[in-house]
Amino acid sequence: MAIHVKEVHKKYQSGEVQIHALRDATLEIPDHKIVAILGPSGSGKSTLLNVIGGIDRYDSGSILIAGQQLETLKDHQLTDFRRKYAGFIFQQYNLIPALTVQENVEVGKELSERPLDMEDILTKVGMWDKREKFPFQLSGGEQQRVAIARALIKNPEFLLCDEPTGALDEETGKKILALLKYVNETYGTTVLIITHNQGIGEMAHKVIKMSSGEIVESIDHEHPIDPEKVTWS
């Protein structure tokens, strides 16, 4: 699913200080691709992800996804948009401690009108044999796999990943990146990855670089590298 962002501005008020989180952000995210959004803390990466996902409103500009102009949608319509099109993966896995692996993924399944098969998805992420375990019984990498399964079972058109490897070691992080690549190739899911790690950009079809709320560079990779070859930093 292609995503069109045009001249988007977003400001926050912090006390008496006005923070420009996005300044004239304009980009096109092609269909069925992996896109990495790079930049230091405070560069606007998470804000860009949140406005694309319909989590945050923006002050001006336009975002067109699936024929819908997000700025024209009412709150309940944005909720329907997120439910129908978007999957979210966060650095902090946001699993429900009192629910098992399978029950956590069921939460995502219940949000979808066309969910994928539970056993198939948990098998694909390597967690079917641990479906009855609780989050506290899992490693960080395993919890992230459950979070990915929860997002993926919705069968979303695009996945929005906010630092999905930020809390993981190199070996586990590369396994998560390989899983995201698998999702992209197998289901045709558009994948957006926010990261501080420059090396992750090398596995993406497109790299968006941000600084101080602005998109300063866009790079296309005709031949992205495999996740296992990513330079870790």
Side-chain angles (χ1 to χ4, degrees):
M1 173 175 294
I3 298 169
H4 305 274
V5 179
K6 185 176 181 181
E7 299 175 355
V8 169
H9 291 259
K10 173 70 175 178
K11 292 182 286 188
Y12 293 104
Q13 196 72 30
S14 180
E16 297 182 357
V17 178
Q18 197 171 68
I19 299 171
H20 291 262
L22 292 176
R23 301 172 184 263
D24 197 30
T26 299
L27 72 151
E28 290 195 13
I29 296 172
D31 200 8
H32 307 314
K33 300 296 184 182
I34 297 175
V35 178
I37 304 174
L38 304 178
S41 296
S43 61
K45 303 187 304 300
S46 292
T47 302
L48 179 61
L49 203 73
N50 288 342
V51 297
I52 288 174
I55 295 176
D56 284 349
R57 296 279 188 176
Y58 40 98
D59 300 322
S60 62
S62 67
I63 298 178
L64 175 65
I65 305 176
Q68 299 190 62
Q69 297 286 163
L70 298 196
E71 66 274 7
T72 68
L73 301 183
K74 300 182 185 299
D75 288 347
H76 74 276
Q77 292 173 316
L78 274 177
T79 298
D80 289 340
F81 167 82
R82 291 192 299 269
R83 180 180 295 117
K84 184 174 182 180
Y85 296 109
F88 298 90
I89 301 170
F90 302 101
Q91 181 176 348
Q92 303 304 322
Y93 320 118
N94 295 331
L95 301 180
I96 301 172
L99 299 184
T100 65
V101 165
Q102 182 166 333
E103 289 168 341
N104 266 283
V105 178
E106 286 280 0
V107 172
K109 184 175 182 178
E110 292 300 317
L111 296 176
S112 177
E113 296 177 353
R114 52 189 186 95
L116 300 176
D117 180 73
M118 172 69 70
E119 181 175 355
D120 183 55
I121 291 302
L122 283 176
T123 299
K124 289 292 195 305
V125 302
M127 293 300 295
W128 178 247
D129 62 334
K130 297 184 179 181
R131 61 190 180 278
E132 299 300 328
K133 292 188 177 295
F134 291 90
F136 75 89
Q137 297 174 300
L138 306 176
S139 68
E142 288 170 337
Q143 290 186 62
Q144 189 62 291
R145 286 175 179 269
V146 177
I148 291 173
R150 181 182 57 192
L152 184 59
I153 200 167
K154 289 178 59 181
N155 198 13
E157 297 288 346
F158 57 93
L159 278 177
L160 304 176
C161 311
D162 194 348
E163 296 282 2
T165 63
L168 305 177
D169 60 77
E170 180 175 350
E171 180 181 359
T172 305
K174 288 183 177 181
K175 289 180 179 178
I176 295 300
L177 294 177
L179 179 56
L180 292 175
K181 180 182 178 182
Y182 172 85
V183 167
N184 167 254
E185 293 178 343
T186 303
Y187 300 102
T189 310
T190 301
V191 179
L192 281 68
I193 305 173
I194 283 181
T195 180
H196 289 89
N197 188 337
Q198 298 283 334
I200 292 176
E202 297 299 317
M203 64 161 281
H205 299 100
K206 179 185 282 290
V207 175
I208 305 297
K209 294 187 177 181
M210 298 190 69
S211 179
S212 301
E214 296 183 306
I215 295 173
V216 296
E217 191 174 9
S218 177
I219 304 168
D220 292 316
H221 290 154
E222 187 174 350
H223 302 290
I225 67 173
D226 290 330
E228 62 267 20
K229 297 180 180 179
V230 167
T231 301
W232 210 254
S233 61

